[in-house]
Amino acid sequence: MASVEDRPDGWTERASESNFTITLLVFSWALLPVGFMLMLLLFNRYPEQRFPLSVATYGMLVFTFITGVGQRQSALRDDRVFLSATMLFITGVTLVAGRALSLDDLWWVGYAAVLGCVPMLFVAMSHLASCTAPGLERPWQANLPVPATAFPTWRVVSAVWTQGEMMWSKHNGMLCVLYGALENEQPVLRLEAFAHGKVLPLEAFGEIDWEGLARPFQAMSEEA
């Protein structure tokens, strides 16, 4: 945990609240039909069950993906997660196209795509589950603009407070996100870095101009 002196003024440390138990449970159940797919592939039996089984397996893998990504703001911007999402999308298109065009002789293409999603999904969800580093939070007023100049290297989505992603950046391959949320019905700003461990990764936020970010509050205080 970072010391109070290390944290910028007005910001408090916030522990990660993600819980990937449900994701692990769904993924473990998804491996059961994966095993059946491998058995059908190995013994070349029950060809009429190939497509329903692959669709059922694909559906469980997609559900696993949704339960994991839904727990982290802007998780799709992470490279591992994006690659997994791309593979799932390609697999879905492959299954639909194979069925719509009656390409029964190419059933193994859909099988290979579904089975190929498993390791990529495991890597993506394992990465998200291990990103347990705490973030930063501070109260904000919904009518106060967030000065984009305080984030010189960040991609600005919205400089106006909103529930959801507002800015993001990648620092040495690490995804960092600024987003708005409601805490006890009060608007807050949250900064998170997709980093491992239990220590606040202040180095990931090193390019932020904390004084410039605090100016809207200072100006409001002076006017008052």
Side-chain angles (χ1 to χ4, degrees), residues 11 146 151 154 164-167 176-180 189-191:
W11 294 82
V146 178
F151 299 84
W154 288 50
E165 182 185 72
M166 298 175 63
M167 302 181 193
C176 304
V177 183
L178 172 73
Y179 66 97
L189 287 181
R190 288 177 179 170
L191 271 168

Side-chain angles (χ1 to χ4, degrees), residues 58 62 85-98 113-114 117:
Y58 174 72
V62 170
T86 302
M87 186 64 186
L88 286 170
F89 175 76
I90 293 174
T91 300
V93 172
T94 301
L95 292 174
V96 171
V114 173
C117 288

Side-chain angles (χ1 to χ4, degrees), residues 47-213:
E48 69 279 1
Q49 302 300 327
R50 290 168 180 163
F51 182 75
L53 184 58
S54 60
V55 170
T57 305
Y58 174 72
M60 294 191 70
L61 294 177
V62 170
F63 185 50
T64 301
F65 180 83
I66 293 173
T67 61
V69 171
Q71 297 191 58
R72 296 301 300 266
Q73 179 68 41
S74 305
L76 279 173
R77 296 198 183 279
D78 182 86
D79 294 339
R80 299 173 184 84
V81 178
F82 180 76
L83 286 175
S84 180
T86 302
M87 186 64 186
L88 286 170
F89 175 76
I90 293 174
T91 300
V93 172
T94 301
L95 292 174
V96 171
R99 191 63 171 181
L101 300 176
S102 300
L103 301 176
D104 296 335
D105 292 339
L106 297 177
W107 60 271
W108 54 271
V109 176
Y111 252 50
V114 173
L115 294 176
C117 288
V118 176
M120 298 188 70
L121 183 61
F122 173 79
V123 170
M125 296 300 101
S126 176
H127 171 64
L128 285 182
S130 62
C131 290
T132 55
L136 291 170
E137 178 182 88
R138 73 158 300 161
W140 199 259
Q141 292 195 12
N143 61 342
L144 277 181
V146 178
T149 54
F151 299 84
T153 61
W154 288 50
R155 299 288 185 89
V156 178
V157 178
S158 173
V160 179
W161 184 92
T162 183
Q163 277 191 273
E165 182 185 72
M166 298 175 63
M167 302 181 193
W168 65 275
S169 175
K170 288 186 178 179
H171 182 79
N172 293 331
M174 183 191 307
L175 177 64
C176 304
V177 183
L178 172 73
Y179 66 97
L182 287 176
E183 183 74 25
N184 298 323
E185 302 301 324
Q186 298 298 319
V188 295
L189 287 181
R190 288 177 179 170
L191 271 168
E192 289 184 359
F194 284 48
H196 300 179
K198 298 292 185 181
V199 179
L200 180 65
L202 284 173
E203 68 280 358
F205 310 132
E207 297 179 348
I208 299 176
D209 179 8
W210 298 108
E211 294 183 0
L213 186 56

Side-chain angles (χ1 to χ4, degrees), residues 19-33 60-61 63-65 67-68 71 121 125 129:
N19 186 347
F20 284 82
T21 302
I22 182 63
T23 303
L24 177 62
L25 178 63
V26 176
F27 187 63
S28 62
W29 277 102
L31 293 180
L32 183 61
M60 294 191 70
L61 294 177
F63 185 50
T64 301
F65 180 83
T67 61
Q71 297 191 58
L121 183 61
M125 296 300 101

